[in-house]
Amino acid sequence: MTFDPKDCGTCPIRHRAVCARCENDELEQLEAVKFYRSFEAGQPVIWSGDTMDFVASVVSGVASLSQAMEDGRTQMVGLLLPSDFLGRPGREFAAYDVVAVSNLTLCCFRRKPFEKLMSQTPHIGHRLLEMTLDELDSAREWMLILGRKTAREKIASLLAILARREASLGLRPQAKDTVFELPLTREAMADYLGLTLETVSRQISALKREGLIQLEGKRQVIIPDYAALLAQTGDDCDGAIMS
Amino acid sequence: MTFDPKDCGTCPIRHRAVCARCENDELEQLEAVKFYRSFEAGQPVIWSGDTMDFVASVVSGVASLSQAMEDGRTQMVGLLLPSDFLGRPGREFAAYDVVAVSNLTLCCFRRKPFEKLMSQTPHIGHRLLEMTLDELDSAREWMLILGRKTAREKIASLLAILARREASLGLRPQAKDTVFELPLTREAMADYLGLTLETVSRQISALKREGLIQLEGKRQVIIPDYAALLAQTGDDCDGAIMS
DNA sequence: CGAGTCCTTGACGAGGCTCAAGCACGGTGG
DNA sequence: CCACCGTGCTTGAGCCTCGTCAAGGACTCG
């Protein structure tokens, strides 16, 4: 089944996005106000303060939300992957800078009709609540990383998170090694982790030197022993979030 | 009008908590499953991993959510003030350590009936979504603080946030100076900001020495010039979130 | 080949952490 | 009434991690 933009039934994120719980009649109403937009890697999607007349789901690719300080320091505060939701119903102006980290396709809904639909039907609101609570949880995990971890632990944590997501997609046949493509540049990783890109580079080199990771080119990461990497994150291993 | 625990109509957080939008019949159903619990400053409310058979609103006082690493480092990831919501519908086990920072009173709802009520009526879910989105926004502001700010900027930011909240309560007659009680110990502030308590103490002393703040005892803070304090936060002043 | 982008590595310095000592204040008990 | 203790806070000295500045390598594209 290939993806037909006219038919939500064939959409790759149909069962995980904000529309996951919608009945057919709700989907039809959404389809009436939806449109697709694509961005190339590195392109801005919207700047903080701009008027935002749509909300959107990420169909493919990766987008980042960042906040800037007046002197130019910047911190990534959200990383949007396929099926994640962009925008806030009821908010007219964007609160963050949004950038396409990789090539990106959004499924956009005009904001006003979306809000109206949300107030009339329960499924969108419920799903959005669930997704927002999940995002709050990951924001809190992220806060622990930013506030208390060393540079080495930060890098290990990020790699572990990406590897875990890769595994959860379940696409990979039972390979011993976890392999994935880094969707972020060194600079974006630094932005994510509250480090400089030099420190990121040094720590990745160190992990490679010690055999905890291998690199195929700059972006392909191979993790020969996931547990060994986890041990470098500093996390309390049995303290996993249960939901 | 004094607060009568039997009557939600007299509740001090009636118009801001998760029940803010409820109609009278919904309130009655909530009242049937609610009970109050109080904690003294410093007491634990619940530990991460414990079963959580209630959710709650903070009626008065302050509670913190924190995460711990295996070696004991700890990071506060949430600060709950009156009207804030504790717990996650659908989640059986607590994901964070919750501690009463000051004397604390919770309005608790048994979790199962609360979830049922939520699925049957729209108002609770809508309000909870709104509150969760707000919390996500403050979590993201916090991430910028943790990831990119200097110790001095962190302290200034925290004081500015507390002062702003104080001002927004509007209780204070048009005083030139903003005055408020610090609800946190130095250690809790350090936990909040990803610093050590020594650094917190040094930076507070520095701000005092430079006249940006004054202290009455250890906990009473006077801010003679709010704008001057804001200038120390490093924030882009016109980049305020608009909602 | 040159230019641009992304990454790596080195040298150095500063900001914040660690360790340690001591102060202020309030409560308790002799 | 005062000695004693516990808690919370302050201050100092020294060290280490990570940021800054700088140079140069790997790769792609025109």
Side-chain angles (χ1 to χ4, degrees):
Chain A
M1 188 167 72
T2 58
F3 174 39
D4 170 8
K6 293 233 173 52
D7 177 10
C8 290
T10 66
C11 177
I13 57 169
R14 168 71 181 92
H15 52 304
R16 290 199 298 151
V18 72
C19 52
R21 304 276 180 70
C22 289
E23 310 286 355
N24 282 334
D25 59 327
E26 294 168 316
L27 268 193
E28 279 170 30
Q29 291 182 273
L30 275 177
E31 287 188 17
V33 301
K34 94 178 183 196
F35 56 98
Y36 290 89
R37 294 182 65 186
S38 289
F39 301 84
E40 295 196 354
Q43 295 303 306
V45 174
I46 203 161
W47 298 110
S48 168
D50 289 356
T51 65
M52 181 118 182
D53 43 14
F54 66 92
V55 295
S57 291
V58 175
V59 178
S60 66
V62 183
S64 68
L65 308 186
S66 332
Q67 277 189 306
M69 295 175 63
E70 51 185 355
D71 61 2
R73 277 174 285 173
T74 143
Q75 172 67 49
M76 200 185 293
V77 296
L79 190 62
L80 303 184
L81 299 156
S83 83
D84 284 342
F85 187 77
L86 169 64
R88 174 170 173 164
R91 171 173 285 169
E92 192 177 354
F93 302 100
Y96 310 101
D97 298 327
V98 183
V99 175
V101 169
S102 67
N103 290 341
L104 178 72
T105 301
L106 297 180
C107 172
C108 305
F109 308 100
R110 286 188 291 125
R111 190 166 61 82
K112 287 292 182 191
F114 183 89
E115 287 167 12
K116 194 168 160 219
L117 197 50
M118 217 176 84
S119 68
Q120 288 167 351
T121 70
H123 296 117
I124 300 179
H126 274 168
R127 178 69 187 132
L128 188 54
L129 174 56
E130 207 170 57
M131 294 173 70
T132 307
L133 286 166
D134 283 340
E135 252 192 289
L136 191 54
D137 275 334
S138 32
R140 285 171 169 164
E141 182 182 354
W142 198 341
M143 285 169 57
L144 175 64
I145 292 176
L146 289 173
R148 291 300 182 197
K149 292 194 177 182
T150 64
R152 181 188 179 88
E153 289 167 338
K154 285 178 174 181
I155 298 288
S157 297
L158 175 57
L159 294 176
I161 288 172
L162 293 172
R164 182 179 53 187
R165 183 191 320 281
E166 191 70 13
S168 83
L169 289 181
L171 301 175
R172 209 148 287 286
Q174 292 302 40
K176 279 178 311 197
D177 298 358
T178 311
V179 182
F180 61 95
E181 188 81 11
L182 258 185
L184 304 175
T185 64
R186 298 288 184 270
E187 187 178 12
M189 292 174 70
D191 238 30
Y192 184 107
L193 298 170
L195 297 170
T196 59
L197 68 89
E198 294 94 331
T199 301
V200 169
S201 185
R202 275 188 257 270
Q203 294 297 334
I204 287 184
S205 296
L207 289 177
K208 189 170 65 177
R209 204 179 313 124
E210 298 169 31
L212 285 154
I213 61 172
Q214 292 156 30
L215 293 186
E216 204 72 56
K218 304 290 184 196
R219 295 296 193 84
Q220 187 90 345
V221 180
I222 304 171
I223 298 175
D225 183 352
Y226 184 67
L229 183 65
L230 263 192
Q232 300 297 315
T233 64
D235 282 325
D236 192 352
C237 296
D238 49 39
I241 291 174
M242 292 166 276
S243 44
Chain B
M1 189 167 70
T2 58
F3 174 39
D4 170 8
K6 294 234 173 51
D7 177 10
C8 290
T10 65
C11 176
I13 57 169
R14 168 72 182 89
H15 52 304
R16 291 199 297 150
V18 70
C19 52
R21 304 277 180 68
C22 289
E23 311 288 354
N24 282 334
D25 59 329
E26 294 168 316
L27 267 193
E28 278 171 31
Q29 291 183 270
L30 275 178
E31 287 188 16
V33 301
K34 93 177 184 196
F35 57 98
Y36 290 88
R37 294 181 65 186
S38 289
F39 301 85
E40 295 197 354
Q43 295 302 306
V45 174
I46 203 161
W47 298 109
S48 167
D50 287 357
T51 65
M52 181 116 184
D53 44 12
F54 65 93
V55 295
S57 291
V58 175
V59 177
S60 66
V62 183
S64 67
L65 308 186
S66 341
Q67 277 188 306
M69 296 174 62
E70 49 184 356
D71 61 1
R73 279 175 284 174
T74 143
Q75 172 66 49
M76 200 185 295
V77 297
L79 192 62
L80 301 183
L81 298 157
S83 83
D84 284 341
F85 187 77
L86 170 64
R88 173 171 174 165
R91 170 173 287 167
E92 191 177 354
F93 301 100
Y96 310 102
D97 299 327
V98 183
V99 174
V101 169
S102 67
N103 290 341
L104 178 72
T105 301
L106 298 179
C107 173
C108 305
F109 308 101
R110 288 187 291 124
R111 189 165 60 82
K112 288 291 182 191
F114 183 89
E115 288 166 12
K116 192 164 160 224
L117 198 52
M118 217 176 87
S119 68
Q120 289 167 350
T121 69
H123 295 119
I124 299 179
H126 274 168
R127 177 68 186 134
L128 188 55
L129 173 57
E130 209 170 56
M131 294 172 71
T132 307
L133 286 165
D134 283 340
E135 251 190 289
L136 191 54
D137 274 334
S138 32
R140 285 170 167 163
E141 182 182 354
W142 198 340
M143 284 169 58
L144 175 64
I145 292 176
L146 289 173
R148 291 300 182 197
K149 292 194 176 180
T150 64
R152 183 188 177 87
E153 289 167 341
K154 285 176 174 181
I155 297 288
S157 298
L158 175 57
L159 294 175
I161 287 171
L162 293 172
R164 182 180 54 187
R165 182 190 325 278
E166 193 69 10
S168 84
L169 289 181
L171 299 175
R172 208 147 287 286
Q174 294 300 43
K176 277 178 311 196
D177 298 358
T178 311
V179 182
F180 62 95
E181 188 83 10
L182 258 186
L184 304 175
T185 63
R186 298 290 184 269
E187 187 177 13
M189 293 175 69
D191 238 29
Y192 183 107
L193 298 170
L195 297 170
T196 58
L197 68 88
E198 292 95 330
T199 300
V200 169
S201 184
R202 276 188 256 271
Q203 294 297 334
I204 288 183
S205 297
L207 289 176
K208 189 171 66 176
R209 207 179 310 126
E210 298 168 31
L212 285 154
I213 61 172
Q214 291 156 32
L215 293 186
E216 204 72 56
K218 305 288 184 195
R219 295 295 194 84
Q220 187 91 342
V221 181
I222 303 170
I223 299 176
D225 183 352
Y226 183 66
L229 183 65
L230 262 192
Q232 301 296 316
T233 63
D235 283 326
D236 192 355
C237 297
D238 48 41
I241 291 175
M242 290 165 277
S243 43

